[in-house]
Amino acid sequence: MNNYIVFLFVIAMCSRLSEALVPENCPINRIMITNQLGGGKVLGYKCSNWLRREWQGSLRTFNQNKSWEFTDVIKIRKRSRYECDLWFGARKEFHFDELQIYRAASRRRCNIIRQWAARPDGIWFRKDHDKPLGHVLPWKKR
Ligand SMILES: *[C@@H]1O[C@H](CO)[C@@H](O)[C@H](O)[C@H]1NC(C)=O
């Protein structure tokens, strides 16, 4: 019995070691924003990531997406992070400012999909495509 436990322990240590040495298979992550405002409403966005890259544009048609693919970086001062300003309306009166749409955790995530959908009542979110979207926040109005 004791030998068996030692054996399991050695196996566990070895697999830990090989995890550390061999680059693991970690498929890329994907986040997306989707225009589900309806009624021909245009969703404007200005997004940036932790590497200070910026994207600005508009999603003009229903269900149009803007997506990003990336691998997680989990260094303390440099975690994967995306944030967006979103808006719609003739005077951009409905908006979110610096909405954090992704932030890496302390453990590296692989192969995830996160979707943010803009609807008339606010922003909706889901972690996987087999889960339903849930309401997160109402629009701010100026
Ligand atoms: C946007 O992404 C969703 C989810 O992947 C997909 O179902 C939809 O068809 C995409 N929209 C367009 C216009 O391609």
Side-chain angles (χ1 to χ4, degrees):
M1 194 58 191
N2 258 347
N3 276 347
Y4 184 63
I5 286 167
V6 169
F7 173 74
L8 283 183
F9 182 73
V10 169
I11 294 288
M13 291 304 289
C14 286
S15 70
R16 266 292 169 90
L17 194 61
S18 71
E19 263 175 33
L21 294 177
V22 181
E24 57 188 314
N25 173 29
C26 181
I28 54 175
N29 297 324
R30 189 146 72 101
I31 49 175
M32 62 200 302
I33 54 178
T34 306
N35 178 356
Q36 292 187 343
L37 292 167
K41 292 193 189 74
V42 176
L43 177 70
Y45 64 85
K46 184 172 179 231
C47 302
S48 59
N49 74 356
W50 76 105
L51 302 169
R52 298 190 183 179
R53 282 203 57 192
E54 288 194 7
W55 297 264
Q56 188 163 2
S58 50
L59 301 174
R60 308 196 152 268
T61 57
F62 190 80
N63 260 344
Q64 194 181 343
N65 301 302
K66 168 73 188 162
S67 64
W68 293 267
E69 294 182 338
F70 60 98
T71 50
D72 248 6
V73 176
I74 55 166
K75 290 178 198 148
I76 301 279
R77 290 177 185 282
K78 235 186 189 173
R79 289 192 183 179
S80 305
R81 213 165 78 85
Y82 284 81
E83 60 182 38
C84 291
D85 294 341
L86 302 174
W87 63 85
F88 78 98
R91 291 172 289 110
K92 303 182 176 179
E93 59 267 43
F94 299 98
H95 61 106
F96 290 110
D97 306 316
E98 296 178 359
L99 180 71
Q100 184 171 279
I101 59 166
Y102 186 79
R103 183 174 181 275
S106 54
R107 283 185 66 118
R108 193 167 172 221
R109 299 190 187 102
C110 304
N111 203 26
I112 58 153
I113 295 176
R114 300 280 160 87
Q115 182 178 20
W116 296 84
R119 294 185 177 176
D121 62 352
I123 194 82
W124 292 61
F125 171 73
R126 71 174 143 206
K127 287 197 165 179
D128 288 298
H129 278 303
D130 56 4
K131 297 212 176 80
L133 284 159
H135 186 254
V136 179
L137 285 170
W139 292 97
K140 287 201 264 176
K141 192 158 188 273
R142 53 182 145 226

